[in-house]
Amino acid sequence: MIAANGRAGGLYGVAPEAQLYGIKVMDRDGNGRISDVIRGIEWAMDNHIQVLNMSLGDRNYNAALEYATRKAHQKGMILVASAGNDGERSGLVDYPARFPWVISVGAVDQEMKRASFSSTRGPVDMMAPGVDIRSSWKSGYRTESGTSMSAAHVSGGAALVLSRHPELNGAKAESYLKRLNKRSRVRKGYGHGLLNLSPLSE
C-alpha cells in the first residue's frame, strides 16, 4: 500500500519509488510492548528514516513513548499513526496518535464517509481510506479494514511529498501535506480533511 511497485501485475502503492523498511515491534498476533515500540522508534532515528508509519495504538498514556516520539519529531522525522478503531464505544484516539506532533489518521469508506469503527474523540489530523483495502501481505495480498490502513495511505503520501519536494524538511513537508488536504471539502471531525495527493501529479 505504501511502496508496492506493481511488479507481476500487482498493486501500486501510494509512493512506489519509496524505500520501505519493516521495523518489527509486534508479535504474530499483533501484540507487543511499548518498550519494543520505543526501540523501533530509536532504530528509525539512528538510521535516518524520514517517515515513520505506526499502524498501532494503545489507550494508555506512556511518558517514555511521549519522549521518544517527540525526540524523533524534533530530529525532522514525520510520524504518522492510526487513530484507533474504537468507533462509538469510546472513540478516544489512541497513543501515539494522540500526541500533537504525530499525524493522527482516521478512516473513511468508499463514499468518503467516516467509518463506523474510526475513533474521533481527540485530535484527528486527517482522514484516509480504511475500509476494504487490498494491500500486500507476506503471502500475497489481503483485504483489511481499520485506521491502520488509513495511516499507511498518509505515510505513503508523506513519502511522495518528500520525493516531489526534496528541498522540504520534515516539518515543512508535514505542513505541505496538510495544506493539500484543505483543497478538499473539510467535514466536521475530519481534521485537515481527506488525504488529497492529486496536486502532486499536476
Side-chain angles (χ1 to χ4, degrees):
M1 180 189 308
I2 296 176
N5 56 22
R7 289 178 183 168
L11 295 175
Y12 277 97
V14 178
E17 296 182 5
Q19 289 184 308
L20 195 65
Y21 295 84
I23 307 173
K24 185 173 175 58
V25 298
M26 299 292 176
D27 63 22
R28 66 177 64 186
D29 296 317
N31 300 313
R33 297 177 297 183
I34 294 296
S35 58
D36 291 329
V37 174
I38 291 171
R39 279 195 285 270
I41 295 171
E42 291 171 343
W43 186 93
M45 283 190 284
D46 291 342
N47 288 274
H48 310 291
I49 300 300
Q50 293 177 285
V51 181
L52 182 62
N53 179 73
M54 294 179 285
S55 287
L56 50 83
D58 193 292
R59 296 181 186 180
N60 300 313
Y61 167 80
N62 183 282
L65 181 62
E66 177 181 8
Y67 176 80
T69 54
R70 186 197 294 269
K71 184 177 179 182
H73 183 262
Q74 290 172 341
K75 284 183 172 291
M77 190 185 301
I78 300 174
L79 296 98
V80 182
S82 48
N85 303 321
D86 288 327
E88 300 299 332
R89 289 181 298 162
S90 72
L92 288 173
V93 171
D94 288 340
Y95 293 103
R98 209 187 301 184
F99 295 131
W101 45 87
V102 178
I103 300 176
S104 56
V105 189
V108 295
D109 60 19
Q110 289 82 356
E111 296 180 355
M112 300 300 131
K113 295 180 180 179
R114 184 182 70 84
S116 61
F117 57 76
S118 184
S119 298
T120 58
R121 287 177 54 201
V124 175
D125 290 309
M126 63 183 70
M127 305 292 276
V131 177
D132 295 333
I133 304 300
R134 189 166 183 259
S135 180
S136 55
W137 205 256
K138 59 183 179 181
S139 57
Y141 297 98
R142 185 167 170 173
T143 299
E144 295 281 342
S145 296
T147 56
S148 290
M149 314 303 281
S150 308
H153 276 93
V154 173
S155 293
L160 196 61
V161 167
L162 288 170
S163 69
R164 296 288 191 273
H165 298 280
E167 75 280 3
L168 298 178
N169 62 23
K172 290 183 178 179
E174 181 178 331
S175 296
Y176 182 90
L177 178 64
K178 292 177 179 178
R179 288 199 304 272
L180 289 179
N181 296 337
K182 287 187 176 180
R183 294 191 180 191
S184 63
R185 185 164 60 92
V186 178
R187 305 178 187 180
K188 184 178 180 179
Y190 280 37
H192 293 276
L194 296 167
L195 178 65
N196 178 26
L197 301 175
S198 58
L200 295 175
S201 61
E202 294 175 354

